[in-house]
Amino acid sequence: MTVIAYIALVLGTGMERLYELRISKRNAAAAFERGGREYGQKHFPWMVALHTGLLIACVVEVIVADRPFLLWLGIPMLVITLLSQAARYWIINSLGAQWNTRVIVVPGAGRVQNRGPYKLTWLPHPNYLVVAIEGIALPLVHTAWVTAIVFTVLNAVLLLAFRIPTENRALRELTP
């Protein structure tokens, strides 16, 4: 029974990601209409593949490896997963029309620094922290520890080697 509930959680997460992509597509179209320039197109498909792979691997590992649901681990990880979702929407709402799954800079747009988690100057990329936490918590809801480790390592490589440097270069083009 817990496997079915877990699959429903992962499917719900996937549906939520599709909703985010709709928001992103709308925001990207508006940014391009205002002269936006996109950065990091080469690494973006890898990000999509990694995040899609996370959802698939969560389910596959639980079923194929017959991972148990451990109450002492599953409940706290579920709470962290749900809090991560709330944090994602806090970030999306804080960035408003500037939020996107891609890196798009609109000439003359200011960097968001006065809303939500972007007020925390010591945390320049709060979304990536939330993604990292969620990438550990979601698999561990049903003890898919291999998925948690593999996603965390691959996500760290993708973020640290490609995405964050790309975003930092793009953000330097914004006028204060």
Side-chain angles (χ1 to χ4, degrees):
M1 184 57 116
T2 60
V3 173
I4 294 169
Y6 182 66
I7 291 171
L9 172 67
V10 174
L11 286 173
T13 301
M15 296 302 289
E16 187 279 327
R17 292 300 182 276
L18 291 174
Y19 178 70
E20 281 183 17
L21 287 174
R22 286 182 58 204
I23 296 169
S24 177
K25 190 174 183 177
R26 181 189 67 222
N27 289 348
F32 288 133
E33 285 176 12
R34 294 189 326 266
R37 178 176 168 214
E38 184 174 0
Y39 295 76
Q41 297 96 325
K42 290 182 182 177
H43 75 256
F44 186 72
W46 293 103
M47 289 188 66
V48 172
L50 180 62
H51 286 262
T52 303
L54 168 67
L55 300 176
I56 293 167
C58 282
V59 172
V60 169
E61 182 178 352
V62 166
I63 293 171
V64 172
D66 195 27
R67 298 288 188 225
F69 176 77
L70 304 174
L71 194 64
W72 63 267
L73 177 64
I75 296 299
M77 292 300 113
L78 176 61
V79 169
I80 291 169
T81 297
L82 296 175
L83 288 173
S84 294
Q85 289 300 112
R88 289 170 77 89
Y89 278 94
W90 184 34
I91 289 163
I92 290 168
N93 287 329
S94 297
L95 290 176
Q98 287 182 268
W99 179 83
N100 209 298
T101 57
R102 298 178 175 271
V103 180
I104 302 172
V105 172
V106 176
R111 183 174 182 172
V112 174
Q113 295 177 310
N114 59 349
R115 291 190 301 267
Y118 295 93
K119 289 180 182 179
L120 308 172
T121 56
W122 55 268
L123 184 60
H125 300 283
N127 189 59
Y128 301 136
L129 175 62
V130 171
V131 168
I133 291 168
E134 184 184 39
I136 295 167
L138 179 62
L140 291 180
V141 168
H142 215 290
T143 60
W145 60 271
V146 172
T147 299
I149 291 170
V150 170
F151 175 82
T152 299
V153 170
L154 293 176
N155 188 51
V157 168
L158 191 56
L159 287 178
L160 297 174
F162 301 99
R163 182 62 173 218
I164 291 175
T166 297
E167 193 165 303
N168 285 340
R169 278 192 305 277
L171 288 172
R172 280 194 292 272
E173 288 196 10
L174 290 174
T175 56

